[in-house]
Amino acid sequence: MTRGLNASPGAAVGQIVFDADTAAERGKAGDAVVLVRWETTPDDIHGLVVAQGVLTAHGGMTSHAAVVARGMGKPCVAGAGDLVIDAAARTLTIGGHVLTEDDTITLDGSTGDVYVGALDLVPPQITDDFREVLGWADDVRRLGVRANADTGPDAVKARELGAEGIGLCRTEHMFMAVDRLPAVRRMILATDAAARQAALDELLPMQQADFEEIFEAMTGLPVTIRLIDPPLHEFLPDLVEQSLLVQRLEAAAAPSSSDDDGALAAARSLLAHVKRLHEQNPMLGTRGVRLSLLYPEICVMQTRAIVRAALAVLGRGFDPHVEIMVPLVGFAEELRRMREVIVETADKEVAAADRALDYTVGTMIELPRAALTADKIAEHADFFSFGTNDLTQTAVGISRDDAEGSFLAAYLEAGIVPANPFASIDAEGVAELVRIGVDKGRSLKPGLKTGVCGEHGGDPASIAILDKIGLDYVSCSPYRVPLARLAAARTTLDG
Ligand code: PEP
Ligand code: MG
């Protein structure tokens, strides 16, 4: 029918659904459904969880749909720009085909192909031969392989597939679960410190429980937990949708009710918050460490949850290796201040428990300025993890959310760029920044532990380049771990 980006491998067959609520409802009822959206957002997570696969018209290899699907091991075809989705009429038009929710499609996430109808699927098999070959790879490779995993079950899967730890646990994914979003929204919408703290107090035990599961699954192996990264508006409704809701409620309201209509007042208040947090370039806005410096209480809550979880599992005989990571640092001073908050909070927790707990504090290196000043940043970091998704976006100046559906496809076809830089690392530019970052970091701290946790960590061509730079490990979604182990061995053998 069409072809998009091969954003997450595997194949899926299912009936089309156009929204996450229907996907969740039908998926739970046992129907095989494929979620078809212009793009997905954190609000769609409950639909993604039960869908067989996801197809989007917009977004690239690091779009929400692509990253979440890869993390879940679900097939995803992203940025299939020919799709015309009419969510209101519930139709999908492509070429001559007009499909509705009664129609079945098949996705091949390994090629990006989309088919009308149900193709036969072959289940993947992890055989003894497969295990043996991977064992040979492990004997040979220098580069460590970790997984990006955000939940206990993902951590278990990652370990089964040979991950030697977690290189990236995106804690905000825990905020996006349907049962937590109300508390997250209360935290964001709080107008005073007491209300914000009350919402954070609600979130703390939930985060702690998640971390406990992860530490247990990864006992004896390192777990890098990253503090909240995305801008807060990502947890609120979309600006356009909320504006429309307010308009609809205004139109429906009786003239006398106007402002004191409860639903309308609430919708208007939420819209005001959405507008306040709206940014023209949210990827370059109030996110990462900037957010935690503005709202240190979020970082305090997360640090407490991490340390309490580690102490709890320690008490149950597990062996947690805690690495706390700060995202989007550009200035050494940001990390210095953030580290102070983390260490003060963590040490208080450890002292209160009257136990010993080792932990380290490191940073993502995902801005060119961070790579270029890595010697200064290293002063406050126990480890570096290169976020090559953002590093690519900011070094090449190409939006990771938009470009793959627009000019980048034309660039690739015309041979202006040799490969999609979000899938395979740009050897001359972005990889060079990684090399500079590693060298500068180690110039201050010889032996500084360094890894890559961007999507390139699971790409064989990128692994060959990153291995030569001398990184300690790559980290990728659990299902790409076997491929990364093989690729790491091959690059060692190639010399
Ligand atoms: C990155 O930027 O490479 C990264 C791993 O972080 P995220 O994709 O969550 O921005
Ligand atoms: Mg990033």
Side-chain angles (χ1 to χ4, degrees):
M1 179 168 87
T2 189
R3 175 176 280 182
L5 294 164
N6 52 343
S8 179
V13 173
Q15 284 184 305
I16 297 169
V17 289
F18 293 102
D19 66 89
D21 290 345
T22 312
E25 204 176 290
R26 292 194 48 197
K28 278 188 196 135
D31 293 349
V33 294
V34 171
L35 183 61
V36 180
R37 303 279 288 159
W38 164 248
E39 64 185 353
T40 64
T41 67
D43 275 350
D44 295 319
I45 198 79
H46 56 303
L48 282 162
V49 168
V50 294
Q52 301 297 307
V54 57
L55 169 63
T56 66
H58 181 71
M61 298 298 276
T62 61
S63 63
H64 178 266
V67 171
V68 171
R70 276 200 294 277
M72 291 179 180
K74 265 181 211 298
C76 172
V77 175
D82 300 345
L83 302 182
V84 180
I85 300 168
D86 187 336
R90 308 191 91 69
T91 59
L92 165 65
T93 309
I94 173 76
H97 305 281
V98 180
L99 304 177
T100 69
E101 281 178 320
D102 291 332
D103 290 306
T104 295
I105 57 172
T106 301
L107 308 181
D108 185 342
S110 307
T111 61
D113 288 317
V114 184
Y115 304 87
V116 182
L119 271 66
D120 290 338
L121 303 187
V122 182
Q125 285 165 5
I126 298 186
T127 61
D128 287 344
D129 288 349
F130 177 86
R131 285 207 185 83
E132 190 173 2
V133 172
L134 283 172
W136 297 339
D138 293 342
D139 292 342
V140 167
R141 68 188 162 89
R142 183 201 66 82
L143 197 62
V145 178
R146 296 195 195 181
N148 294 353
D150 312 326
T151 65
D154 282 357
V156 170
K157 176 58 68 188
R159 203 169 179 150
E160 258 169 45
L161 293 168
E164 297 160 304
I166 290 181
L168 176 63
C169 169
R170 291 174 164 105
T171 54
E172 63 274 5
H173 286 180
M174 301 169 179
F175 284 180
M176 288 163 184
V178 195
D179 55 329
R180 297 164 187 201
L181 213 48
V184 174
R185 285 187 176 166
R186 274 198 293 283
M187 171 196 61
I188 298 169
L189 302 178
T191 46
D192 59 60
R196 174 166 301 120
Q197 195 54 52
L200 287 165
D201 290 347
E202 260 183 85
L203 288 167
L204 189 147
M206 302 182 199
Q207 287 236 297
Q208 182 180 333
D210 292 334
F211 295 142
E212 285 184 30
E213 265 191 66
I214 293 172
F215 286 139
E216 283 190 8
M218 280 286 155
T219 183
L221 295 174
V223 175
T224 307
I225 297 180
R226 182 181 75 184
L227 302 178
I228 188 170
D229 184 15
L232 294 181
H233 76 81
E234 283 206 11
F235 304 101
L236 298 182
D238 174 74
L239 175 62
V240 175
E241 277 172 22
Q242 191 63 21
S243 304
L244 286 172
L245 175 67
V246 168
Q247 280 182 15
R248 270 202 302 276
L249 290 172
E250 279 172 350
S256 59
S257 63
S258 65
D259 272 6
D260 43 56
D261 179 312
L264 178 55
R268 279 184 176 149
S269 161
L270 187 51
L271 178 60
H273 280 283
V274 172
K275 280 187 176 161
R276 185 173 55 81
L277 292 172
H278 180 74
E279 294 175 314
Q280 290 299 339
N281 290 311
M283 288 305 252
L284 301 177
T286 316
R287 54 174 288 218
V289 67
R290 303 162 190 171
L291 196 60
S292 290
L293 285 169
L294 285 185
Y295 304 100
E297 56 274 30
I298 303 179
C299 163
V300 168
M301 181 278 281
Q302 292 200 296
T303 305
R304 278 191 188 137
I306 294 167
V307 172
R308 287 182 192 178
L311 291 168
V313 303
L314 204 61
R316 298 200 287 270
F318 294 94
D319 177 21
H321 290 217
V322 184
E323 301 179 338
I324 301 175
M325 181 157 76
V326 180
L328 215 78
V329 163
F331 299 88
E333 180 62 12
E334 291 173 316
L335 187 61
R336 190 191 67 75
R337 290 180 186 215
M338 207 70 254
R339 186 186 176 100
E340 225 169 61
V341 175
I342 295 167
V343 169
E344 194 192 315
T345 308
D347 288 354
K348 252 193 217 156
E349 289 295 323
V350 175
D354 203 17
R355 307 267 324 231
L357 177 78
D358 286 333
Y359 67 90
T360 55
V361 180
T363 184
M364 305 272 294
I365 300 285
E366 48 186 344
L367 294 173
R369 191 183 193 284
L372 296 172
T373 59
D375 47 344
K376 301 208 166 56
I377 290 176
E379 212 179 301
H380 314 288
D382 301 318
F383 62 88
F384 281 175
S385 180
F386 288 81
T388 48
N389 302 332
D390 275 308
L391 193 58
T392 299
Q393 167 166 258
T394 49
V396 185
I398 294 181
S399 160
R400 60 192 267 192
D401 295 317
D402 305 307
E404 288 160 289
S406 60
F407 73 92
L408 195 54
Y411 266 38
L412 284 165
E413 203 160 306
I416 297 171
V417 289
N420 176 350
F422 291 104
S424 210
I425 199 160
D426 162 43
E428 292 172 347
V430 178
E432 197 52 19
L433 282 168
V434 174
R435 191 186 60 72
I436 292 169
V438 171
D439 290 352
K440 286 206 159 195
R442 288 185 177 158
S443 73
L444 187 89
K445 287 191 176 161
L448 179 75
K449 188 158 69 170
T450 57
V452 158
C453 63
E455 295 306 312
H456 306 90
D459 169 62
S462 308
I463 287 171
I465 294 167
L466 298 169
D467 185 45
K468 296 204 172 46
I469 292 172
L471 289 148
D472 295 299
Y473 65 90
V474 288
S475 188
C476 56
S477 72
Y479 295 90
R480 296 175 99 189
V481 163
L483 183 63
R485 289 160 65 195
L486 274 181
R490 173 178 283 188
T491 182
T492 306
L493 292 173
D494 285 348

